């Protein structure tokens, strides 16, 4: 069972994710959106970083993943 702290953190991260989605779908620049919402750009990008890391952690994907690729050449 999650602790109260974990629930609070989850809710805060969800709110940040919603704000990031709102910014990205607004058609505005990050600078303009942040100014309108009264959020510093530093805060926006810090939250974006936290949300991205949380998503990677949930997906359990390594930060870098090497995928083998085979290339065949066709003679024309």
């Amino acid at each position: 069972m999650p602790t109260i702290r974990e629930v609070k953190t989850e809710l805060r991260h969800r709110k940040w994710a919603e704000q990031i989605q709102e910014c990205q779908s607004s058609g505005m620049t990050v600078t303009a959106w942040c100014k309108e919402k009264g959020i510093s750009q530093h805060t926006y990008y810090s939250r974006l970083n936290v949300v991205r890391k949380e998503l990677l952690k949930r997906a359990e994907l390594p930060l870098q993943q090497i995928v083998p690729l085979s290339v065949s050449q066709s003679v024309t």
Side-chain angles (χ1 to χ4, degrees), residues 44-76:
Y44 173 85
Y45 285 112
S46 293
R47 291 175 178 178
L48 177 62
N49 190 37
V50 168
V51 169
R52 284 179 175 166
K53 285 181 180 179
E54 184 67 30
L55 289 172
L56 284 173
K57 187 172 120 183
R58 287 185 186 179
E60 297 182 357
L61 293 176
L63 291 177
Q64 291 185 341
Q65 191 173 38
I66 299 175
V67 178
L69 178 65
S70 64
V71 179
S72 61
Q73 292 182 332
S74 300
V75 178
T76 54

Side-chain angles (χ1 to χ4, degrees), residues 6-76:
E6 291 169 336
V7 171
K8 283 181 162 182
T9 300
E10 173 68 23
L11 291 173
R12 185 172 49 252
H13 290 181
R14 284 184 189 184
K15 180 180 177 183
W16 294 353
E18 289 171 6
Q19 290 174 335
I20 291 162
Q21 180 62 39
E22 179 186 334
C23 175
Q24 292 176 348
S25 64
S26 72
M28 301 170 73
T29 64
V30 171
T31 303
W33 186 87
C34 287
K35 186 173 182 179
E36 181 179 290
K37 299 296 180 178
I39 299 172
S40 74
Q41 286 185 32
H42 176 76
T43 297
Y44 173 85
Y45 285 112
S46 293
R47 291 175 178 178
L48 177 62
N49 190 37
V50 168
V51 169
R52 284 179 175 166
K53 285 181 180 179
E54 184 67 30
L55 289 172
L56 284 173
K57 187 172 120 183
R58 287 185 186 179
E60 297 182 357
L61 293 176
L63 291 177
Q64 291 185 341
Q65 191 173 38
I66 299 175
V67 178
L69 178 65
S70 64
V71 179
S72 61
Q73 292 182 332
S74 300
V75 178
T76 54

